[in-house]
Amino acid sequence: MELGNETQISEFLLLGLSEDPGLQPILFRLFLSMYQVTVLGNLLIILVIISDSHLHTPMYFFLSNLSFVDICFTSTTVPKMLVNIQTQSKVITYEGCITQVYFHLLFGILDTLLLTVMAYDRFVAICYPLQYTVIMNVRLCGLLVLVSWIMSALNSLFHSLMVVQLSFCTDLEIPHFFCELNHVVHLACSDTFSNNVGIYVAAGLWFCGPLIGILYSYSKIVSSICAISSGPGNYKAFSTCASHLSVVSLFYCTIIGVYLSSAATQDSHSSATASVMYTVVTPMLNPFIYSLRNKDIHGALKRLFRRKP
């Protein structure tokens, strides 16, 4: 494949989390276990929501979509990492790398947009309870998810096409366990100014924008809850938001921590290790967070496992 005038490349090298041969079996078992827990946990959430009519509400519709996206988000990076460890190979094809960039961006942005939509759903449920079923109708719920998919796909396509225009030289080693956009752009020999501008604009639009929306929704929610005089009413309102707020905090705090640590240390391997938090750990923990203190999920799980064949 011809890329500019500099070179003709067909593959990149993913250096992974560690180059120590003794650590590879441990990393393989660890990430295989986490991947299995992530897939099974999120599939269980989806199955419970689909099978139980009590959970056919906007909140759980969005949660099932989030669980699906979490499975896809982890599946974009971890299986390739496991294959590379098992085969003792660091190679990823050029096409595979661009594909990984696309889908990692797609599902990462979808996570932020779905968390924002879920915050809006809780805002309407608590601040406008009498109009909730009218506002959050089936058409609007489907439209919110569809628009999230379209915007994520277009943004990912834009960045992927920008990367395709770059020319690369002989240094094709990516100090990460997957093709992360910033690392791929930094390997380019050609001018990357437009790529960097696009990355910063996208970060402001798809990271800061949803975060502002979530914070605004919860500021209104807290104001409404404080206006509720009854103790049980306060507790019920807080309990419906606690799980979502925990997931939002975990997702955003880990991403902020990753990029702050990488900016402070300038150590690519430290950045790769920190990236495990939001690419693997957060999707794995989400099913546990949503089911831990959720009585609706508990009841649905009991009904699911008590069903006779």
Side-chain angles (χ1 to χ4, degrees):
M1 182 175 291
E2 187 67 26
L3 295 175
N5 297 321
E6 279 79 0
T7 188
Q8 182 179 2
I9 68 166
S10 59
E11 60 189 31
F12 292 94
L13 296 178
L14 296 173
L15 300 185
L17 296 174
S18 173
E19 297 185 55
D20 183 355
L23 284 177
Q24 301 310 307
I26 298 173
L27 289 173
F28 181 83
R29 288 192 290 269
L30 176 63
F31 278 86
L32 178 61
S33 300
M34 289 195 294
Y35 182 63
Q36 289 173 331
V37 171
T38 300
V39 173
L40 293 176
N42 283 288
L43 279 178
L44 183 60
I45 292 290
I46 295 171
L47 176 63
V48 167
I49 292 173
I50 291 175
S51 63
D52 198 304
S53 59
H54 296 89
L55 302 182
H56 291 176
T57 63
M59 181 176 72
Y60 292 108
F61 170 70
F62 297 134
L63 177 56
S64 63
N65 277 273
L66 181 67
S67 294
F68 174 74
V69 169
D70 279 341
I71 293 173
C72 297
F73 189 42
T74 307
S75 298
T76 302
T77 57
V78 175
K80 178 58 180 174
M81 176 191 181
L82 294 175
V83 169
N84 282 5
I85 293 174
Q86 188 68 13
T87 59
Q88 298 182 1
S89 169
K90 299 177 182 179
V91 172
I92 182 170
T93 64
Y94 174 82
E95 293 80 6
C97 189
I98 299 300
T99 302
Q100 201 172 61
V101 167
Y102 175 83
F103 284 107
H104 181 260
L105 287 173
L106 171 68
F107 296 119
I109 293 167
L110 259 175
D111 253 335
T112 65
L113 293 179
L114 286 175
L115 289 172
T116 308
V117 168
M118 293 171 75
Y120 174 72
D121 172 72
R122 294 299 82 206
F123 162 72
V124 175
I126 293 174
C127 299
Y128 302 98
L130 299 180
Q131 292 85 31
Y132 177 71
T133 55
V134 177
I135 297 173
M136 299 302 295
N137 55 66
V138 175
R139 182 180 178 182
L140 178 62
C141 292
L143 187 61
L144 287 172
V145 172
L146 178 61
V147 169
S148 297
W149 274 93
I150 292 173
M151 290 193 297
S152 301
L154 290 176
N155 177 76
S156 303
L157 182 62
F158 167 76
H159 285 290
S160 300
L161 292 176
M162 290 288 286
V163 171
V164 170
Q165 304 302 316
L166 295 176
S167 302
F168 297 90
C169 297
T170 55
D171 182 15
L172 300 175
E173 294 183 344
I174 300 175
H176 218 298
F177 64 94
F178 67 94
C179 288
E180 201 266 341
L181 178 62
N182 281 327
H183 286 85
V184 176
V185 170
H186 287 159
L187 292 180
C189 294
S190 55
D191 180 40
T192 60
F193 176 77
S194 57
N195 296 79
N196 290 323
V197 170
I199 290 171
Y200 286 120
V201 170
L205 188 62
W206 305 117
F207 181 81
C208 299
L211 181 59
I212 291 170
I214 291 170
L215 292 176
Y216 175 79
S217 296
Y218 273 99
S219 67
K220 292 296 184 180
I221 288 171
V222 170
S223 299
S224 297
I225 291 175
C226 291
I228 300 174
S229 58
S230 63
N234 281 334
Y235 176 78
K236 185 176 181 181
F238 270 120
S239 64
T240 59
C241 299
S243 297
H244 179 252
L245 198 54
S246 299
V247 171
V248 169
S249 302
L250 183 63
F251 183 77
Y252 274 96
C253 287
T254 51
I255 292 181
I256 292 171
V258 166
Y259 288 101
L260 286 180
S261 64
S262 62
T265 62
Q266 297 296 323
D267 185 349
S268 298
H269 281 288
S270 298
S271 174
T273 304
S275 297
V276 173
M277 287 301 298
Y278 77 89
T279 57
V280 183
V281 176
T282 300
M284 180 184 70
L285 293 179
N286 283 355
F288 297 100
I289 294 173
Y290 276 110
S291 60
L292 194 60
R293 297 181 61 186
N294 191 312
K295 294 181 180 179
D296 294 334
I297 296 289
H298 285 175
L301 284 170
K302 290 178 182 178
R303 288 188 290 271
L304 177 66
F305 290 117
R306 284 176 183 173
R307 284 181 182 176
K308 295 180 180 180

